[in-house]
Amino acid sequence: MQGKGLIALACGTFALGVAEFSMMGILSFLAKDMGISIPSAGDFISAYALGVSLGSPLPIFFRKHPLKYILLGLCVLIVGGNLFAACAGSYYTLLAARFISGLPHGAYFGVGAIVAVSLVPPGRKATAVAIMVTGMTVANIVGVPLVTWLTHVISWRLTFLIAALWGALAIAGIYASIPKVEPEPDRGLKNEFKFLRGPAPWLIFLATFLGQGSVYCWYSYMEPVCLQITHIPYSGMTWVMILAGLGMFTGGLVCGRLADIFRPALVCAITAFLILPTLLAIYFFSSSVYLTIPLIFLATAELFGIGGPMQYLIVRFSRGGAILGGAGIQIAFNMSNACSAFLGGVVIRAGYGLTAPALLGLPMAAICCAVLCWFYYRYRKLGA
């Protein structure tokens, strides 16, 4: 039942992965089809991320209900939002649909992480969260390349139809395989916020925001960089997205397992440090296809290498307010995504070139590494 439950959770993250990351593979095609600029198409990324940020606290208002039913409700919203996006007929309609599609994303990850941890014994909890997140990485290996190809030969609308289909599969899997995990004892809405009085959760949120954003500045515009700077043909973008997905899959599982063996904060700090040379190399060598290919793998591995352990850390350091903690870290992830995509568009519009967003990530990665080192030093005795 543990394995089936984790797979069911991963079906949901697969749907969310297709909905979120497919935009990076179809951005140029979508911009051309809708008659808008690439930075304007980047607004669809920001709209989704904004929806995630505002929707992440939703489970707090349903905290008295079993977590299984909260997950099922979120999956229904995944299906509905993506069906709306598939039917969108204008820029503003799609912008609204992307916002709605993002609403269940953060809440699903926050509640899903709590459920995943509850399904496994001690010593496997960070790995369980990593397995849940793996649904998103598999989406990047299989789902995103598939919809990139389907967009090229049929229509970008299939992207959102596929996301809706996997959302429906998640509903069936969660209903059949997830036990009725009872919520934590209700201490009142006010007491949900008590864990925020200490610095630990705020350091986790800050490190998550910076670590995610450091790579996402570049990743939001990876597709036009590959097409216009590296001169990879559009037909080759399917393979590029497979490579990016493999990087996410590898980084998520490897860092998740290392976090169980060593310490999550230490693993994330080292990963953040490794982002620095990767982004520098992307900025200087994106014109070389032979260097760009391994750099895409490294950057996406580092992006997802931070994600899983950080979600485990917030579950550990938000006792008494785990739902709010899970919501908070998803807000950090996705406000970072929204800000990074926006800032990347700003520097591109300013004429600094498509590779300039990679430089925006350097100070973010450096500060993230410093924050995580301090967090590890201060909380290592508590399992950080």
Side-chain angles (χ1 to χ4, degrees):
M1 184 64 73
Q2 292 176 0
K4 290 182 179 179
L6 292 175
I7 291 172
L9 292 172
C11 284
T13 60
F14 183 95
L16 295 169
V18 170
E20 179 179 16
F21 288 102
S22 289
M23 291 301 300
M24 286 66 170
I26 66 174
L27 202 65
S28 295
F29 193 94
L30 184 57
K32 182 179 179 181
D33 188 59
M34 302 197 78
I36 57 178
S37 67
I38 287 176
S40 294
D43 293 341
F44 297 133
I45 299 173
S46 295
Y48 186 91
L50 184 60
V52 178
S53 300
L54 294 179
S56 292
L58 286 176
I60 297 174
F61 302 102
F62 301 95
R63 63 190 185 280
K64 296 180 181 180
H65 297 275
L67 300 183
K68 174 178 179 175
Y69 299 141
I70 295 176
L71 285 174
L72 288 172
L74 293 170
C75 287
V76 170
L77 195 53
I78 291 171
V79 174
N82 280 288
L83 287 176
F84 181 29
C87 299
S90 68
Y91 168 79
Y92 291 105
T93 305
L94 183 55
L95 204 65
R98 290 290 291 167
F99 173 79
I100 294 170
S101 298
L103 288 173
H105 184 119
Y108 183 92
F109 271 90
V111 176
I114 299 169
V115 173
V117 167
S118 72
L119 293 176
V120 297
R124 301 290 296 177
K125 295 186 181 298
T127 301
V129 175
I131 291 173
M132 181 194 73
V133 175
T134 295
M136 180 168 281
T137 61
V138 173
N140 280 278
I141 297 172
V142 180
V144 173
L146 174 63
V147 300
T148 300
W149 177 74
L150 289 174
T151 294
H152 181 62
V153 300
I154 303 178
S155 171
W156 54 265
R157 297 181 189 278
L158 288 174
T159 296
F160 306 113
L161 289 175
I162 290 172
L165 172 62
W166 277 90
L169 291 175
I171 291 174
I174 290 170
Y175 182 80
S177 303
I178 297 293
K180 188 179 177 181
V181 180
E182 295 294 338
E184 294 184 348
D186 183 25
R187 302 178 180 88
L189 186 59
K190 182 178 180 181
N191 287 320
E192 286 280 330
F193 292 83
K194 278 189 175 180
F195 78 97
L196 293 173
R197 295 176 181 175
W202 296 105
L203 291 172
I204 293 171
F205 295 152
L206 177 60
T208 299
F209 180 92
L210 294 169
Q212 180 83 357
S214 65
V215 178
Y216 222 85
C217 288
W218 156 79
Y219 189 65
S220 297
Y221 300 94
M222 180 190 72
E223 187 238 25
V225 169
C226 289
L227 293 176
Q228 300 180 37
I229 306 298
T230 316
H231 299 296
I232 295 173
Y234 191 85
S235 58
M237 284 306 299
T238 297
W239 299 104
V240 170
M241 299 312 294
I242 290 174
L243 180 71
L246 286 170
M248 295 176 184
F249 180 83
T250 303
L253 283 186
V254 169
C255 289
R257 187 58 188 147
L258 288 175
D260 274 329
I261 298 172
F262 300 102
R263 297 294 181 86
L266 184 61
V267 170
C268 290
I270 294 171
T271 304
F273 179 79
L274 294 175
I275 288 172
L276 295 170
T278 303
L279 290 178
L280 277 173
I282 286 171
Y283 178 75
F284 285 110
F285 302 116
S286 286
S287 60
S288 169
V289 67
Y290 300 106
L291 293 176
T292 296
I293 295 303
L295 286 171
I296 289 173
F297 180 87
L298 283 174
T300 52
E302 290 158 355
L303 174 67
F304 267 57
I306 289 180
M310 295 304 291
Q311 289 187 87
Y312 167 69
L313 278 176
I314 197 60
V315 171
R316 186 177 183 86
F317 283 87
S318 59
R319 299 292 170 81
I323 291 179
L324 181 61
I329 200 165
Q330 290 304 317
I331 292 172
F333 273 126
N334 288 279
M335 284 304 295
S336 177
N337 293 351
C339 292
S340 300
F342 172 77
L343 291 174
V346 168
V347 298
I348 293 171
R349 287 189 182 98
Y352 290 101
L354 290 171
T355 57
L359 293 182
L360 291 177
L362 292 176
M364 298 176 77
I367 298 172
C368 175
C369 181
V371 170
L372 286 167
C373 286
W374 169 246
F375 184 87
Y376 172 71
Y377 173 77
R378 180 164 182 172
Y379 296 104
R380 63 187 185 278
K381 293 181 179 179
L382 297 177

